[in-house]
């Protein structure tokens, strides 16, 4: 009986191809988690010396079990063309104008780097924004909680805000608030129970992109409309709190959750976050047809100053 040698050129070539294909399929997706705070620095991303922040520890664990490789940085100089090209997606937990050193004094990105980063998203890179990612690169006239914060900017919104899909206005006191589940078919959203409403610092948002696909919506009827210093932050109709949309060829996902450490350890939030990450990374697909006007037709009605 003639035996076929596994080292024959044809078999060896096929085996090498199979192994290289398997290796390519197993290669982790690379995500830059950027947490520079040019404005207020949240405790979830604050480092104690060289020790990673609470959010970084959580993402490291989630990444290890979901084939996602995170790089963590607060240094804006990381945004070079070469580094931007290395990552499949970017995840922001940031505040303020990131082209300024600001509060944490970490090196800022340049204005040219900001433009290159936004262009990379538009050309197909993924983006995930958490909590204060919407309190970043405010539109003209919206800094320092002036009157402009309570007006929609429309076409005058900062290019970053247009990419993200919404901008932070203000928040009231931390409270439990019901999240209306809009689309359970989106990755991770099926894990959200209908009565979900954790204790959180909920953001009141504005300047929603017209092509938003709303996933979770803030049920303002369940909220305290007279909460401490910002007494009427939630005195408005329901509005999106977690959403996805396309920015050119790029997939963009945002959730206003993520202020509290116990939210980061909440399995529901983790599934929502992983669903958004996997979608932004093209690991899974989903229908993100615009639904803002259908599910939140009064979302552009903002709270009084």
């Amino acid at each position: 009986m003639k035996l076929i040698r596994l080292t024959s050129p044809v078999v060896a070539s096929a085996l090498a191809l199979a192994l290289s294909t398997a290796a390519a399929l197993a290669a982790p997706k690379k995500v830059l988690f950027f947490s520079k705070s040019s404005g207020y620095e949240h405790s979830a991303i604050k480092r104690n010396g060289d020790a990673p922040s609470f959010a970084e520890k959580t993402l490291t664990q989630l990444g290890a079990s979901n084939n996602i490789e995170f790089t963590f940085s607060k240094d804006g100089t990381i945004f070079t063309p070469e580094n931007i090209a290395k990552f499949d997606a970017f995840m922001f937990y940031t505040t303020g104008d990131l082209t300024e050193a600001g509060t944490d004094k970490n090196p800022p990105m340049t204005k040219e780097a900001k433009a290159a980063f936004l262009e990379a998203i538009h050309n197909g890179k993924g983006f995930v924004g958490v909590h204060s990612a919407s309190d970043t690169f405010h539109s003209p006239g919206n800094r320092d909680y002036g009157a402009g914060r309570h007006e929609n900017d429309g076409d005058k919104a900062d290019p970053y805000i247009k990419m993200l899909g919404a901008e932070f206005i203000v928040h009231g006191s931390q409270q439990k608030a019901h999240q209306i589940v809009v689309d359970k078919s989106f990755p991770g959203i099926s894990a959200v129970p209908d009565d979900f409403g954790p204790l959180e610092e909920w953001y009141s948002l504005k300047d929603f992109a017209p092509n938003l696909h709303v996933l979770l919506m803030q049920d303002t009827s369940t909220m305290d409309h007279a909460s401490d210093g910002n007494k009427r932050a939630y005195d408005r109709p329901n509005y999106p709190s977690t959403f996805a949309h396309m920015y050119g060829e790029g997939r963009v996902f945002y959730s206003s959750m993520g202020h509290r450490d116990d939210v980061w350890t909440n399995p529901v939030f983790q599934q929502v976050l992983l669903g958004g990450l996997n979608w932004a990374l093209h690991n899974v697909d989903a229908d993100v047809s615009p639904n803002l006007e259908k599910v939140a037709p009064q979302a552009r009605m903002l709270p009084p100053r």
Side-chain angles (χ1 to χ4, degrees):
M1 181 176 65
K2 184 177 181 180
L3 297 178
I4 299 176
R5 295 178 61 196
L6 294 180
T7 54
S8 68
V10 174
V11 174
S13 176
L15 181 60
L17 178 61
L19 290 174
S20 64
T21 302
L25 291 174
K29 294 294 181 70
K30 298 181 183 298
V31 177
L32 172 63
F33 180 74
F34 189 56
S35 58
K36 175 171 173 52
S37 301
S38 293
Y40 176 76
E41 184 174 37
H42 287 73
S43 61
I45 59 167
K46 191 175 182 65
R47 294 174 179 169
N48 184 9
D50 293 331
S53 68
F54 192 88
E56 289 170 342
K57 293 177 183 177
T58 304
L59 289 172
T60 297
Q61 295 170 353
L62 292 176
S65 56
N66 290 275
N67 205 32
I68 299 173
E69 180 181 303
F70 286 98
T71 295
F72 303 107
S73 180
K74 295 176 179 287
D75 185 345
T77 62
I78 196 172
F79 288 93
T80 64
E82 295 77 16
N83 285 333
I84 289 172
K86 291 178 183 177
F87 295 103
D88 300 296
F90 303 87
M91 185 175 181
F92 274 31
Y93 193 147
T94 50
T95 54
D97 186 341
L98 302 178
T99 64
E100 300 175 356
T103 304
D104 67 10
K105 305 303 180 184
N106 286 308
M109 64 170 64
T110 65
K111 292 182 179 179
E112 292 77 15
K114 175 188 174 183
F117 155 71
L118 292 175
E119 182 180 13
I121 304 299
H122 194 273
N123 290 341
K125 299 284 187 180
F127 184 87
V128 173
V130 178
H131 195 52
S132 61
S134 62
D135 191 15
T136 300
F137 287 125
H138 280 287
S139 301
N142 287 359
R143 296 185 178 186
D144 301 322
Y145 297 94
R149 279 284 183 108
H150 293 259
E151 299 174 1
N152 287 300
D153 291 280
D155 291 339
K156 296 180 180 179
D158 187 90
Y160 169 87
I161 296 299
K162 292 179 180 179
M163 179 278 294
L164 182 65
E167 181 175 2
F168 168 72
I169 307 171
V170 69
H171 67 77
S173 61
Q174 295 182 32
Q175 57 187 281
K176 292 184 177 182
H178 178 232
Q179 298 295 289
I180 300 171
V181 182
V182 176
D183 182 6
K184 280 186 175 291
S185 67
F186 188 89
I189 301 299
S190 62
V192 182
D194 290 336
D195 62 351
F196 185 65
L199 178 64
E200 179 60 294
E201 182 185 84
W202 301 104
Y203 276 8
S204 196
L205 301 168
K206 69 169 189 174
D207 270 311
F208 298 107
N211 70 335
L212 284 196
H213 184 80
V214 184
L215 302 171
L216 300 177
M217 191 157 55
Q218 202 79 36
D219 183 355
T220 57
S221 69
T222 67
M223 305 187 78
D224 179 4
H225 288 192
S227 54
D228 56 39
N230 300 306
K231 296 186 180 299
R232 301 180 70 182
Y234 313 113
D235 188 5
R236 59 183 297 186
N238 297 342
Y239 59 92
S241 58
T242 298
F243 53 78
H245 75 122
M246 299 299 298
Y247 179 69
E249 297 299 316
R251 296 182 175 189
V252 177
F253 173 89
Y254 171 79
S255 178
S256 68
M257 292 186 284
H259 176 85
R260 297 172 55 90
D261 291 357
D262 57 0
V263 169
W264 276 90
T265 58
N266 187 309
V268 174
F269 172 69
Q270 290 185 359
Q271 287 303 306
V272 170
L273 195 58
L274 283 170
L277 272 165
N278 279 314
W279 175 75
L281 288 166
H282 291 261
N283 288 337
V284 292
D285 293 320
D287 179 5
V288 292
S289 301
N291 64 359
L292 176 67
E293 298 300 332
K294 179 179 179 181
V295 303
Q298 295 180 300
R300 293 185 180 86
M301 294 180 61
L302 305 182
R305 184 181 179 188

